[in-house]
Amino acid sequence: MLQLAKSLPDRLCHLWGTVTDVSPGVVSIAGVSSHAGVGNEVLVDTAEGGVRGEILTISGDRVTAFLFGNSDPIRIGDRAYIDQEATVTPGDHWIGQIINYRGEIVGADKPPAPRGAKPRKLLAKAPPSHLRNGLGPRLKTGLMVTDTLIPICHGQRLGLFAGSGVGKSTLLGALANGVEADRIVIALIGERSRELNEFATHTLPESARKKSVIVTATASEPPGAKKRAAYCAMAAAEHFRDQGHHVLLLFDSITRFAEAHREVALIGGETPALHAFPPSTVRTIAELAERSGPGATSQGDITAIFSVLVAGSDMEEPVADMIRGILDGHIVLSRDIAERYRYPAIDVLKSVSRALPRAASDDENRLLSQYRRNVALYEEVAPMIRANLYEKGHDAEGDRAIELYPRLDRFVSETNAGDIKDAFAHLSSLLKTGSDNPEG
């Protein structure tokens, strides 16, 4: 037996089989079918080291596993050790660190977990629905737009829909800095390695980094590694939630997770459907998202923001359509708005928080209604203004919307140094007619 195998945990050494087939990213293993289960971990012992994977299918004489690493060093006859529990050991030692898909601190020489740390299953279940708390109070975010127009509540799950280059990462960094949370877990799934370093060192403020865990699998890593990193991040969020903490989970992106699942599922023989996404994609996304949200009694909450990549701002893309019905609201970033340098490039009229109207008072809801009505009216008459067809004085409501619009549009870019009531007071002042006469 190779030296690597001698160093494996005892629980791995009791069950092993033999590699019989090797394909790019996939191996078949004989001799373990009667004991292995779907989702069990695999470690193939090669001459160059160990290659980890996860069991995908089981037949009478062999199991198929997709790999987290490269299959090049694997040879027919190599031993493959089966671990019946796919676990990680999150804890306070992860805070301020970057974690890979195996639950290891990047750059560390495999330091031991703190005494008393307990492994957590990667594929856990959400808290029972009848025991879960409801959405909690509104969270101060430090941004006028999310403190008023698109509120985020304790335990809420929102989608952040955005194309490339419209400020998604910057907005996630601002929320990490502004949202009131005890712990922050950031999942960077399928991002370029340069973007990982940039987010960790520049986009994420130092104050947020001190209470954050970043879990990552970069774009170059196999699809199995990306899926595992997503589950690893959720396990970390659940660990802190079970300690009673309020956790902010920033998941970038659920689209890359879905694409990784598609690749793995097609390898496993699932039938492709719309855009080649197999039927199990909706269930897989829903199971992951449901693990976030309000905790059960005596637990904390996981407030989650899942980013969704939309090519060409197409909100009807398969993943966008799937996730929109699962979450408690969505924030849409517009390329048109970004091109005129208004950041965050949030399209307020297309964004919805399902915490409303309950999350706001009657007076606050009236202000929000006024804001949306004036912005919608301005966008309705804007083509006429550009074509010099609008005549002032014929439509009082249209005239008022035109007068208010520059201030209302600028409001989305403003930060909020005060509390939520201060944000609504500012919004109320902007909705008053007459820039020089607030009471006019």
Side-chain angles (χ1 to χ4, degrees):
M1 187 180 294
L2 298 176
Q3 182 64 35
L4 174 65
K6 294 179 181 178
S7 66
L8 295 175
D10 290 340
R11 61 194 176 110
L12 279 170
C13 295
H14 294 307
L15 181 60
W16 59 270
T18 304
V19 174
T20 59
D21 297 276
V22 184
S23 302
V26 183
V27 295
S28 294
I29 304 165
V32 295
S33 295
S34 59
H35 302 285
V38 172
N40 289 174
E41 286 196 14
V42 172
L43 192 147
V44 182
D45 197 6
T46 75
E48 298 180 16
V51 181
R52 292 184 179 271
E54 183 176 306
I55 293 177
L56 183 61
T57 62
I58 302 174
S59 63
D61 59 345
R62 68 187 64 190
V63 302
T64 300
F66 64 87
L67 301 174
F68 300 150
N70 199 322
S71 59
D72 290 352
I74 299 177
R75 300 290 181 266
I76 301 299
D78 283 345
R79 282 190 173 185
Y81 296 85
I82 311 300
D83 182 0
Q84 295 184 341
E85 293 288 340
T87 63
V88 290
T89 310
D92 288 350
H93 62 298
W94 280 15
I95 297 174
Q97 304 291 341
I98 297 176
I99 309 299
N100 66 17
Y101 67 90
R102 293 173 58 182
E104 299 168 342
I105 297 174
V106 174
D109 189 20
K110 298 183 181 179
R115 178 177 294 181
K118 295 182 179 180
R120 295 190 70 96
K121 291 184 178 180
L122 287 177
L123 299 178
K125 293 184 178 180
S129 56
H130 66 285
L131 297 178
R132 300 188 83 159
N133 302 316
L135 292 182
R138 288 180 305 191
L139 291 166
K140 182 184 179 303
T141 66
L143 302 173
M144 288 290 183
V145 62
T146 46
D147 280 352
T148 55
L149 299 163
I150 314 168
I152 302 174
C153 294
H154 259 272
Q156 191 170 356
R157 298 167 300 188
L158 289 107
L160 178 59
F161 293 74
S164 59
V166 295
K168 168 176 57 68
S169 296
T170 303
L171 179 55
L172 289 175
L175 291 173
N177 187 48
V179 171
E180 301 165 329
D182 303 315
R183 298 286 186 270
I184 303 172
V185 177
I186 301 168
L188 298 179
I189 310 301
E191 296 292 328
R192 295 185 289 268
S193 56
R194 177 190 62 78
E195 291 177 326
L196 165 63
N197 291 330
E198 185 174 312
F199 187 90
T201 58
H202 299 294
T203 304
L204 190 65
E206 181 63 25
S207 58
R209 178 70 185 269
K210 291 178 179 178
K211 56 181 179 180
S212 298
V213 174
I214 299 176
V215 183
T216 182
T218 58
S220 62
E221 295 186 87
K226 296 172 188 173
K227 284 193 68 176
R228 184 185 168 101
Y231 292 128
C232 182
M234 189 61 73
E238 290 170 327
H239 167 79
F240 295 124
R241 177 204 63 195
D242 291 351
Q243 290 184 329
H245 294 302
H246 172 227
V247 183
L248 175 65
L249 172 64
L250 301 177
F251 194 106
D252 187 18
S253 72
I254 197 72
T255 304
R256 300 296 185 223
F257 170 77
E259 290 171 348
H261 171 74
R262 174 176 62 186
E263 190 170 345
V264 170
L266 294 180
I267 291 172
E270 275 201 64
T271 303
L274 183 63
H275 287 234
F277 283 101
S280 64
T281 305
V282 177
R283 172 179 52 80
T284 302
I285 292 176
E287 287 176 346
L288 181 70
E290 276 296 309
R291 290 169 63 179
S292 62
T297 306
S298 79
Q299 293 180 337
D301 299 322
I302 302 174
T303 301
I305 310 291
F306 295 92
S307 75
V308 184
L309 302 177
V310 287
S313 300
D314 181 8
M315 292 288 289
E316 304 307 318
E317 280 193 331
V319 177
D321 195 44
M322 293 174 200
I323 197 72
R324 195 164 53 241
I326 295 170
L327 302 180
D328 305 317
H330 51 271
I331 299 172
V332 178
L333 299 186
S334 165
R335 186 170 302 280
D336 290 339
I337 295 175
E339 287 174 350
R340 58 183 173 87
Y341 291 95
R342 196 265 273 156
Y343 292 100
I346 296 175
D347 189 328
V348 174
L349 296 184
K350 292 182 180 179
S351 302
V352 174
S353 173
R354 293 181 181 171
L356 291 173
R358 187 177 300 177
S361 67
D362 291 342
D363 289 341
E364 290 169 345
N365 278 311
R366 278 192 288 271
L367 288 173
L368 301 182
S369 178
Q370 289 179 39
Y371 181 99
R372 288 179 175 271
R373 186 167 63 250
N374 279 283
V375 172
L377 184 54
Y378 173 83
E379 293 191 357
E380 183 180 325
V381 302
M384 299 174 63
I385 297 172
R386 288 191 290 269
N388 282 328
L389 297 176
Y390 185 84
E391 294 186 18
K392 190 174 181 179
H394 292 274
D395 182 356
E397 289 190 353
D399 293 346
R400 184 171 186 270
I402 294 169
E403 178 187 3
L404 290 174
Y405 182 75
R407 286 180 277 163
L408 300 185
D409 186 58
R410 196 162 49 244
F411 176 79
V412 180
S413 299
E414 296 179 13
T415 57
N416 179 25
D419 58 23
I420 292 174
K421 288 186 177 180
D422 294 328
F424 274 102
H426 180 47
L427 177 59
S428 177
S429 70
L430 294 181
L431 286 167
K432 302 295 184 182
T433 303
S435 57
D436 296 325
N437 182 14
E439 298 302 323

mmCIF file of all heavy atoms in Angstrom, residues 25-29 40 42 53-57 63-67 267:
data_model
loop_
_atom_site.group_PDB
_atom_site.id
_atom_site.type_symbol
_atom_site.label_atom_id
_atom_site.label_comp_id
_atom_site.label_asym_id
_atom_site.label_seq_id
_atom_site.Cartn_x
_atom_site.Cartn_y
_atom_site.Cartn_z
ATOM 1 N N GLY A 25 -12.484 13.128 -15.624
ATOM 2 C CA GLY A 25 -13.329 13.548 -14.510
ATOM 3 C C GLY A 25 -14.152 12.466 -13.873
ATOM 4 O O GLY A 25 -14.895 12.728 -12.927
ATOM 5 N N VAL A 26 -14.041 11.203 -14.352
ATOM 6 C CA VAL A 26 -14.909 10.121 -13.865
ATOM 7 C C VAL A 26 -14.096 8.838 -13.729
ATOM 8 O O VAL A 26 -13.233 8.549 -14.557
ATOM 9 C CB VAL A 26 -16.099 9.879 -14.827
ATOM 10 C CG1 VAL A 26 -17.031 8.813 -14.264
ATOM 11 C CG2 VAL A 26 -16.871 11.161 -15.069
ATOM 12 N N VAL A 27 -14.400 8.057 -12.684
ATOM 13 C CA VAL A 27 -13.816 6.718 -12.544
ATOM 14 C C VAL A 27 -14.909 5.727 -12.171
ATOM 15 O O VAL A 27 -15.933 6.102 -11.570
ATOM 16 C CB VAL A 27 -12.699 6.674 -11.467
ATOM 17 C CG1 VAL A 27 -11.523 7.523 -11.871
ATOM 18 C CG2 VAL A 27 -13.232 7.086 -10.104
ATOM 19 N N SER A 28 -14.694 4.467 -12.525
ATOM 20 C CA SER A 28 -15.551 3.373 -12.075
ATOM 21 C C SER A 28 -14.749 2.515 -11.099
ATOM 22 O O SER A 28 -13.552 2.271 -11.322
ATOM 23 C CB SER A 28 -16.034 2.524 -13.250
ATOM 24 O OG SER A 28 -16.879 3.284 -14.086
ATOM 25 N N ILE A 29 -15.415 2.069 -10.028
ATOM 26 C CA ILE A 29 -14.734 1.335 -8.953
ATOM 27 C C ILE A 29 -15.503 0.049 -8.684
ATOM 28 O O ILE A 29 -16.733 0.080 -8.470
ATOM 29 C CB ILE A 29 -14.667 2.185 -7.672
ATOM 30 C CG1 ILE A 29 -13.972 3.527 -7.964
ATOM 31 C CG2 ILE A 29 -13.968 1.438 -6.555
ATOM 32 C CD1 ILE A 29 -14.181 4.560 -6.883
ATOM 33 N N ASN A 40 -21.357 9.391 -1.151
ATOM 34 C CA ASN A 40 -20.171 9.029 -0.356
ATOM 35 C C ASN A 40 -18.910 9.557 -1.039
ATOM 36 O O ASN A 40 -18.839 9.643 -2.261
ATOM 37 C CB ASN A 40 -20.058 7.514 -0.206
ATOM 38 C CG ASN A 40 -21.103 6.919 0.716
ATOM 39 O OD1 ASN A 40 -21.199 5.718 0.839
ATOM 40 N ND2 ASN A 40 -21.913 7.746 1.358
ATOM 41 N N VAL A 42 -14.899 9.553 -2.148
ATOM 42 C CA VAL A 42 -13.944 8.591 -2.684
ATOM 43 C C VAL A 42 -12.565 9.231 -2.653
ATOM 44 O O VAL A 42 -12.430 10.433 -2.920
ATOM 45 C CB VAL A 42 -14.308 8.210 -4.131
ATOM 46 C CG1 VAL A 42 -13.204 7.371 -4.756
ATOM 47 C CG2 VAL A 42 -15.623 7.470 -4.176
ATOM 48 N N GLY A 53 -13.093 12.370 -4.870
ATOM 49 C CA GLY A 53 -14.296 12.449 -5.683
ATOM 50 C C GLY A 53 -15.515 12.100 -4.866
ATOM 51 O O GLY A 53 -15.448 11.984 -3.633
ATOM 52 N N GLU A 54 -16.628 11.902 -5.555
ATOM 53 C CA GLU A 54 -17.899 11.607 -4.891
ATOM 54 C C GLU A 54 -18.685 10.626 -5.737
ATOM 55 O O GLU A 54 -18.730 10.741 -6.972
ATOM 56 C CB GLU A 54 -18.693 12.897 -4.712
ATOM 57 C CG GLU A 54 -19.998 12.725 -3.959
ATOM 58 C CD GLU A 54 -20.685 14.070 -3.732
ATOM 59 O OE1 GLU A 54 -20.040 14.981 -3.184
ATOM 60 O OE2 GLU A 54 -21.868 14.190 -4.115
ATOM 61 N N ILE A 55 -19.306 9.647 -5.089
ATOM 62 C CA ILE A 55 -20.047 8.616 -5.809
ATOM 63 C C ILE A 55 -21.312 9.216 -6.413
ATOM 64 O O ILE A 55 -22.101 9.879 -5.733
ATOM 65 C CB ILE A 55 -20.388 7.438 -4.881
ATOM 66 C CG1 ILE A 55 -19.096 6.717 -4.475
ATOM 67 C CG2 ILE A 55 -21.350 6.462 -5.554
ATOM 68 C CD1 ILE A 55 -19.298 5.584 -3.502
ATOM 69 N N LEU A 56 -21.483 8.935 -7.704
ATOM 70 C CA LEU A 56 -22.607 9.497 -8.449
ATOM 71 C C LEU A 56 -23.677 8.448 -8.745
ATOM 72 O O LEU A 56 -24.870 8.705 -8.592
ATOM 73 C CB LEU A 56 -22.087 10.103 -9.759
ATOM 74 C CG LEU A 56 -23.082 10.797 -10.666
ATOM 75 C CD1 LEU A 56 -23.721 11.984 -9.949
ATOM 76 C CD2 LEU A 56 -22.381 11.272 -11.942
ATOM 77 N N THR A 57 -23.252 7.256 -9.189
ATOM 78 C CA THR A 57 -24.208 6.176 -9.482
ATOM 79 C C THR A 57 -23.659 4.857 -8.940
ATOM 80 O O THR A 57 -22.443 4.684 -8.788
ATOM 81 C CB THR A 57 -24.456 6.032 -10.996
ATOM 82 O OG1 THR A 57 -23.228 5.679 -11.643
ATOM 83 C CG2 THR A 57 -24.981 7.343 -11.585
ATOM 84 N N VAL A 63 -19.360 1.141 -8.913
ATOM 85 C CA VAL A 63 -19.910 2.480 -8.694
ATOM 86 C C VAL A 63 -19.161 3.446 -9.605
ATOM 87 O O VAL A 63 -18.025 3.196 -10.007
ATOM 88 C CB VAL A 63 -19.760 2.938 -7.220
ATOM 89 C CG1 VAL A 63 -20.443 1.965 -6.280
ATOM 90 C CG2 VAL A 63 -18.305 3.147 -6.852
ATOM 91 N N THR A 64 -19.832 4.535 -9.951
ATOM 92 C CA THR A 64 -19.215 5.599 -10.746
ATOM 93 C C THR A 64 -19.055 6.825 -9.866
ATOM 94 O O THR A 64 -19.988 7.209 -9.151
ATOM 95 C CB THR A 64 -20.078 5.959 -11.969
ATOM 96 O OG1 THR A 64 -20.229 4.803 -12.794
ATOM 97 C CG2 THR A 64 -19.436 7.071 -12.788
ATOM 98 N N ALA A 65 -17.886 7.428 -9.901
ATOM 99 C CA ALA A 65 -17.612 8.614 -9.092
ATOM 100 C C ALA A 65 -17.079 9.726 -9.980
ATOM 101 O O ALA A 65 -16.236 9.473 -10.858
ATOM 102 C CB ALA A 65 -16.603 8.299 -7.987
ATOM 103 N N PHE A 66 -17.588 10.941 -9.781
ATOM 104 C CA PHE A 66 -16.979 12.089 -10.454
ATOM 105 C C PHE A 66 -15.906 12.650 -9.537
ATOM 106 O O PHE A 66 -16.002 12.579 -8.310
ATOM 107 C CB PHE A 66 -18.022 13.140 -10.831
ATOM 108 C CG PHE A 66 -18.731 13.784 -9.686
ATOM 109 C CD1 PHE A 66 -18.202 14.895 -9.047
ATOM 110 C CD2 PHE A 66 -19.963 13.313 -9.248
ATOM 111 C CE1 PHE A 66 -18.867 15.503 -7.997
ATOM 112 C CE2 PHE A 66 -20.629 13.908 -8.198
ATOM 113 C CZ PHE A 66 -20.082 15.011 -7.573
ATOM 114 N N LEU A 67 -14.869 13.195 -10.126
ATOM 115 C CA LEU A 67 -13.666 13.574 -9.393
ATOM 116 C C LEU A 67 -13.622 15.069 -9.118
ATOM 117 O O LEU A 67 -14.125 15.873 -9.904
ATOM 118 C CB LEU A 67 -12.422 13.156 -10.186
ATOM 119 C CG LEU A 67 -12.296 11.657 -10.489
ATOM 120 C CD1 LEU A 67 -11.109 11.406 -11.406
ATOM 121 C CD2 LEU A 67 -12.174 10.847 -9.205
ATOM 122 N N ILE A 267 -23.161 13.549 -16.776
ATOM 123 C CA ILE A 267 -22.210 12.437 -16.657
ATOM 124 C C ILE A 267 -22.908 11.217 -16.054
ATOM 125 O O ILE A 267 -22.659 10.078 -16.434
ATOM 126 C CB ILE A 267 -20.999 12.844 -15.797
ATOM 127 C CG1 ILE A 267 -20.147 13.875 -16.537
ATOM 128 C CG2 ILE A 267 -20.151 11.630 -15.421
ATOM 129 C CD1 ILE A 267 -19.042 14.473 -15.696
#
